[in-house]
Amino acid sequence: MQTHLLGCPRIGSNRELKKACELYWAGKASLQQLLETGEAISQNNWKIQQEAGIDLIPCNDFSYYDQVLDMTLSVGAIPERYKGIASEESYSELDLYFAMARGYQNNGLDITAMEMTKWFDTNYHYIVPEFRKNQQFTLFSDKIIREFIRARQSGINAKPVIIGLITYLLLGKEKEEGFDKLDLAQNLLPVYIEILKELERHGAEYIQFDEPFLALDLNEKAKETYKYIYGEIRKHFPDFKLIITTYFEGLKDNLSLASSLPADILHIDLVRCPEQLDNVLQAIPSTLSLSLGVVDGRNIWKNNFEKSLQWIKKASEELGPERVFIAPSCSLLHVPFDLDSETHEEVLSPEIKQWMAFAKQKIGEIAVLKKLASGNQDYHTLQLLAENRKALENRKISTLIHHQKVKDRASVTTEADAQRNNPFSIRKEIQQKALQLPLFPTTTIGSFPQTKEVRNWRAKFKKGELTAGHYDELLKKETEKTIRWQEKTGIDVLVHGEFERNDMVEYFGEQLSGFAFTQNGWVQSYGSRCVKPPVIYGDVHRPHPMTVYWSAYAQSLTSKWVKGMLTGPVTILQWSFVRDDQPRSLTCKQIALAIRDEVTDLEKAGIRIIQIDEPAIREGLPLRKSDWQIYLKWAVEAFRISASGVEDATQIHTHMCYSEFNDIIQNIADMDADVITIECSRSQMELLNAFADFKYPNEIGPGVYDIHSPRVPSKEEMVELLNKAQAVIPAQQLWVNPDCGLKTRHWDETEKALIAMVEAAREASREYVKREKLKNHRL
Ligand code: GLN
Ligand code: ZN
């Protein structure tokens, strides 16, 4: 029996990589310094694994920005627009690499970055390869080989980790018409072979090919390409021990394909899909070993040793222990580095901490599992097993986690709780009477600029350098200023600005029961950006109102409507580490009920328009299409539970960004929000087509300008976009708003943009009235 890892976190124990990269980008650190930081991080990862006794240790799992971009550079898939940089003497390979990741504005050049998108269903973002018809590839960067040599020199039994050829192609995007990216497999294969030859020459024995697409829906062509490519690789390298890894889903209908590939070891994710074990054990040929992903690489909970041991035992009995590998379910990139750096008991209580394991602890778990499974049970190991049992037992019965009232409430919610009193057609009229909004009402998405001062106040307040009273006063002034400015500018539906919030999930998590936070639980989101997701460990409820104070205060300042602002249950769930001892759908329902209480309290406090943001609803979609409807059913229901406690006259908004809506438009309509605001400006209203084709019944605010850019849009271009929108959506259904919250923008650009936006709405309205008159006249 052997142990291995698919990959390690690479930001360093203290986010060293983030700091080093940012200093380097700012010109404040040398290339040498950056490289030293990077090398120290992988050295440290190797050392931890070596000391834990892991048998096969990954190399090339480290990356300065993104492992897909690394591969793009390795195979020379460098888009044309960077060729100028590539040929410049003074630029290192890493400079070219960062230019591709982040764009390049220098020396009169202005080159856009490559696109970035989510890595499967994680919150990690990769850089999307760009492909052209007949694209040629060449071995451009020898990073993979360098990393292997470095690991070997450090005395590591290193296993190079490479993104499998098919997965690499499937992750990319065709940048011109008339070809299929899989057609490029032929051209790409020789470069893979070249890399493998170099690795062989330097003494590599094992190669790990990550092929997560093998666990997803595949068409015939992809399946054929899999067979062909791995057949070719095997022909060239009869002696390599090839590991093919799959994760985030089960092999399911691809099982016979996966087990027939000429590999030596197949890795499966038993955390996501435990039920596949039996089928896999039956299907794999005697030439294939099995790597069992038993330790959760996507979550922060301690492994259940007994459960894992059952799986390991079953596999050993069927295959013989020599054909069994023990591993985390996927790369540990998606969990924080080290639980031992959580030292403040006021932040993370010891009781909750004892249920958790970060990357370093998970490495330890893998090593212990091997000892336990191979009967090598010294006193210390047995003690660890007993401790593991005890922690799990304690979690099962902890009063921190379990609240009978919350469970009972969730278990008796019915269809009726997820229904407004009347359908939208009736609500619309009642709301129109109550709210008296003009045609093309203007609003914003919630946050206003979080200036340095605002951030400073919060930091000082948290450190105890500012009293609660003083902090409150400062935020009130900022809120009032924002309300006055919106009034003066003529915006129809105001917001309070969200100055009291740091992060849209953290803010609610901190006030809800059942959530814990960490000091150092950072996970890479993209490049140097890291996030620190809250941990949902127990039954969720709302001990007290969360936003009523700020919304009511803002509403008291003005006779215009102020929109209440909440984060929706699905987004809170999606952006947290979620408890694994009950279905996600149930946790989501508990959050929904807590938000529902907040919504009704806002209504009681006189707030007549309430927005429940759900930017993450689409990214929660399961990886297999056949599972979509089950997810969408409970996700949409959770939203509706949160939104349906109010009177017909109260208007519910929702907001979503970065979404392809086409394939889930029916479900978005099923959410039954009175108004939805969406991101649209970057696609020039193209996204709106989905709503138009579908005849979306409720009101829509397609974003008329891109808040991700400091650029101030002109009134004319926004009028133009509103005209485009009216071509497909009736004017009576349209709202006018930016495409997301404004918190990352500066005040001066925000002011200019919103003034222009209000003018654009007025002009669109005048033009509309004129057109209607003309029409009536003709009639
Ligand atoms: N109300 C939030 C804001 O304006 C919405 C943020 C989001 O969509 N991600 O900041
Ligand atoms: Zn948004």
Side-chain angles (χ1 to χ4, degrees), residues 445-447 498 504 565 613 615 655 657 740-741:
I445 306 304
S447 56
E498 301 181 24
M504 63 187 288
M565 199 54 62
D613 291 323
H655 165 71
C657 27
C740 197

Side-chain angles (χ1 to χ4, degrees), residues 445 504 575 611 613-615 655-658 677-679 707-708 738-741:
I445 306 304
M504 63 187 288
W575 291 348
Q611 178 171 314
D613 291 323
E614 284 290 22
H655 165 71
M656 290 177 197
C657 27
Y658 294 124
T677 55
I678 54 170
E679 190 245 297
I707 63 93
H708 302 90
D739 68 9
C740 197

Side-chain angles (χ1 to χ4, degrees), residues 405-407 409-410 413 417 508-509 511-515 536 538-548 565-570 572 586-602 604 610 612 637-645:
K405 265 197 194 151
V406 179
K407 292 187 204 295
R409 185 174 177 207
T413 51
D417 296 309
F508 291 92
Q511 302 190 72
L512 290 166
S513 318
F515 282 75
I536 305 178
D539 289 333
V540 175
H541 62 104
R542 188 196 69 141
H544 48 73
M546 304 182 283
T547 64
V548 174
M565 199 54 62
L566 304 172
T567 302
V570 185
I572 292 181
L586 181 53
T587 305
C588 195
K589 192 185 260 185
Q590 291 182 352
I591 306 170
L593 287 165
I595 300 294
R596 178 188 179 95
D597 293 345
E598 186 70 13
V599 170
T600 49
D601 275 351
L602 281 170
K604 272 185 222 143
I610 300 165
I612 307 170
E637 182 183 72
F639 176 85
R640 293 174 60 135
I641 288 173
S642 71
S644 296

Side-chain angles (χ1 to χ4, degrees), residues 82-100:
Y82 304 105
K83 291 275 157 79
I85 307 178
S87 59
E88 251 197 62
E89 281 288 321
S90 58
Y91 281 85
S92 68
E93 186 181 297
L94 212 51
D95 291 324
L96 167 66
Y97 172 82
F98 286 139
M100 289 160 74

